[in-house]
Amino acid sequence: MARSTTRRALGRIVATAGLLVGLAAGGVAAGNPVHAAAHATARTTAPATAQAAAREDMPELPDIQQPVSQGTFTFAGDSDDRITQGRTKSFGTPEQEFLIYRSVGSNMAEIRVRDGDTWWYLAFGAPQGRQLTPGVYPGATQFPFHGNSPGVDFSGDGRYCAAVTGSFTIHHIEWNPHGWLDSLDADFEQRCAGAAAASHGTVRVEAPPAPPVLALTMSAARIGTVTAGGEATLHGTVRCNKTASVNVFAYVVQQQGAARVTGWVREVVDCAAGTSVPWQGTVGADDFGRFRDGWADTTAGAQAMDWDYLIFTHAPGKNPRVCLGHCGS
């Protein structure tokens, strides 16, 4: 799918930048949570002026997809309401597909419901800097451009509001410690800006148990080789508790008399859950140097993106002194 392909590419790019800095300094860089900065839906829910402002200060958007084990969604509206067109509709699992999209900060959630070829969207956002918790949220404005106000957005079947006013009540919401949305019970009212007609509805969803947080370990062998072209080859293993694309980095320093030869390499390893997977990297020397038989100091590290939580997981770094080819005592 395009989403998973994009995420994988993003993970590799950011991982390269993050660990390279750490390795060049002689160690593995520490990781930070990372969240996506683009909404992965084709619909437009904000006026042109808001979109232009967002390009300069893009708000955090729900971009982590979760499955739903049980869900119901009911809405109705006034006869001249733009979204409902006066209709009342009810959806529920398993007849309709439900999905949860959330952010890393536990401060917003979007429920998406597919009924045949038609999608319906309902999003809630807490005021900036706050977590989405049980309570009444009056004075809601257009999600996700709501800033210090609560945010709401109900749209679907090809219809949306350029701007909204409304309110919502979170009767129950439960987040697990890593930001997984376990359950949500909420109702809402929304008006397209300037309209008297309103839509309103209720949503209840429960997610299956949260997946484990990615755990990653690695090893780095103390014996390597040198190619005829003066490149050093290192190897080891990585191990994960769930499937991940792992970035492995190695930095090599070899003292050759008064000369100091260095180089680094990055390799991507597809790690299967519960399996030790081998990695190998061939390191070319910087500045036209050449590695040769003998001892070398190395720093090796590994990290992977946990797409369930949009956080980087790091394996404890290794710093073995490696024998390249033939070595003396």
Side-chain angles (χ1 to χ4, degrees):
M1 294 178 62
R3 175 181 294 274
S4 60
T5 301
T6 301
R7 286 178 168 178
R8 185 168 179 172
L10 174 62
R12 292 181 177 183
I13 291 169
V14 177
T16 301
L19 266 183
L20 179 56
V21 171
L23 288 171
V28 180
N32 295 309
V34 175
H35 64 263
H39 207 3
T41 177
R43 67 196 178 97
T44 302
T45 57
T49 54
Q51 292 176 29
R55 283 193 292 270
E56 298 179 3
D57 186 18
M58 175 64 74
E60 184 181 6
L61 297 168
D63 198 44
I64 308 175
Q65 179 181 308
Q66 288 185 211
V68 172
S69 55
Q70 295 183 13
T72 60
F73 178 38
T74 300
F75 65 77
D78 297 329
S79 58
D80 52 349
D81 172 60
R82 174 176 173 78
I83 307 301
T84 64
Q85 298 186 333
R87 297 174 296 173
T88 298
K89 285 185 173 291
S90 294
F91 307 107
T93 55
E95 289 78 12
Q96 283 81 35
E97 179 184 5
F98 280 60
L99 292 172
I100 296 171
Y101 279 78
R102 60 177 177 81
S103 68
V104 297
S106 301
N107 58 355
M108 57 188 71
E110 181 181 282
I111 311 302
R112 303 186 187 186
V113 179
R114 183 170 69 177
D115 181 31
D117 294 330
T118 302
W119 283 93
W120 297 93
Y121 307 86
L122 176 60
F124 302 112
Q128 185 174 355
R130 291 175 52 187
Q131 191 176 70
L132 194 60
T133 58
V136 178
Y137 293 82
T141 58
Q142 178 75 59
F143 175 93
F145 304 98
H146 51 281
N148 292 323
S149 301
V152 67
D153 182 24
F154 169 49
S155 60
D157 198 14
R159 295 183 297 278
Y160 59 88
C161 298
V164 306
T165 59
S167 63
F168 60 92
T169 299
I170 304 294
H171 299 287
H172 172 81
I173 189 169
E174 186 174 352
W175 304 93
N176 85 353
H178 302 289
W180 186 264
L181 179 57
D182 288 318
S183 59
L184 171 68
D185 180 355
D187 54 43
F188 72 95
E189 181 178 271
Q190 173 185 285
R191 289 178 171 81
C192 291
S199 55
H200 53 85
T202 299
V203 64
R204 295 183 178 89
V205 291
E206 293 183 7
V213 175
L214 177 63
L216 175 64
T217 59
M218 73 169 302
S219 69
R222 295 180 178 276
I223 297 176
T225 60
V226 179
T227 68
E231 297 175 316
T233 300
L234 308 177
H235 62 94
T237 62
V238 294
R239 187 178 181 88
C240 308
N241 65 334
K242 62 182 181 180
T243 301
S245 181
V246 180
N247 289 268
V248 178
F249 292 77
Y251 183 67
V252 182
V253 179
Q254 187 179 54
Q255 198 69 37
Q256 300 175 2
R260 186 171 183 265
V261 180
T262 64
W264 75 279
V265 66
R266 178 185 71 90
E267 296 292 340
V268 179
V269 178
D270 291 324
C271 190
T275 303
S276 291
V277 180
W279 66 267
Q280 179 173 297
T282 300
V283 185
D286 299 329
D287 301 325
F288 306 104
R290 292 166 61 94
F291 292 106
R292 64 191 184 194
D293 287 349
W295 293 98
D297 295 312
T298 68
T299 296
Q303 71 173 12
M305 174 67 82
D306 186 337
W307 289 114
D308 291 320
Y309 302 106
L310 282 189
I311 56 175
F312 276 128
T313 297
H314 296 259
K318 304 296 181 180
N319 301 93
R321 184 166 172 79
V322 175
C323 175
L324 299 178
H326 303 286
C327 300
S329 57

